[in-house]
Amino acid sequence: VEEEYQFDIDIPVFQPVQRRKLFNMQETMSKREGMENVQRLISTLTHEDIICFTDGSALGNPGPTGCGAAVFLKGTDSTPICLKKHVASLGNNYIGEVKGIKLAAEFV
């Protein structure tokens, strides 16, 4: 972890979530099972939770790279704030994915 992302204060949002069996974990999963797992997780969230969905991609891999995020500041009942960013003229999918997480984290 880069030094700029190390926190030395206790932020309630970053507290460990209560351990609950939310997922049907197995090596292979159908799209339906994956959707059910996500829906089950989302159903446990409250209006006090901040939710971030992120993505990144490269056209050609390597190629032009970008990232995006949808941030819900007051749980699933809020309107998402949509963020997008050009990452590199020549990058890869992994860099796009990581930059998407960074984009959401910096916004929050």
Side-chain angles (χ1 to χ4, degrees), residues 53-58 61 65-69 87 92-104:
F53 294 96
T54 65
D55 195 17
S57 67
N61 204 21
T65 306
C67 65
V87 174
N92 61 40
N93 197 51
Y94 175 77
I95 296 297
E97 297 285 358
V98 172
K99 292 289 188 171
I101 296 167
K102 183 178 178 187
L103 178 67

Side-chain angles (χ1 to χ4, degrees), residues 2-108:
E2 295 176 5
E3 188 173 319
E4 64 183 320
Y5 293 105
Q6 292 178 351
F7 296 99
D8 52 7
I9 58 173
D10 200 17
I11 302 173
V13 173
F14 293 103
Q15 294 292 329
V17 178
Q18 288 180 323
R19 297 198 184 270
R20 293 171 270 183
K21 183 168 174 149
L22 297 173
F23 296 109
N24 173 21
M25 298 300 290
Q26 51 192 358
E27 285 187 32
T28 60
M29 184 180 305
S30 71
K31 182 176 180 178
R32 181 187 55 77
E33 291 168 323
M35 298 264 304
E36 288 172 356
N37 283 342
V38 170
Q39 289 170 341
R40 192 174 304 115
L41 173 63
I42 289 173
S43 72
T44 67
L45 302 173
T46 70
H47 69 278
E48 297 176 1
D49 294 315
I50 296 174
I51 308 161
C52 301
F53 294 96
T54 65
D55 195 17
S57 67
L59 184 61
N61 204 21
T65 306
C67 65
V71 180
F72 295 79
L73 293 176
K74 295 184 179 179
T76 56
D77 293 332
S78 62
T79 302
I81 298 167
C82 298
L83 310 169
K84 63 182 179 178
K85 184 177 182 181
H86 172 319
V87 174
S89 296
L90 188 63
N92 61 40
N93 197 51
Y94 175 77
I95 296 297
E97 297 285 358
V98 172
K99 292 289 188 171
I101 296 167
K102 183 178 178 187
L103 178 67
E106 287 176 345
F107 177 81
V108 172

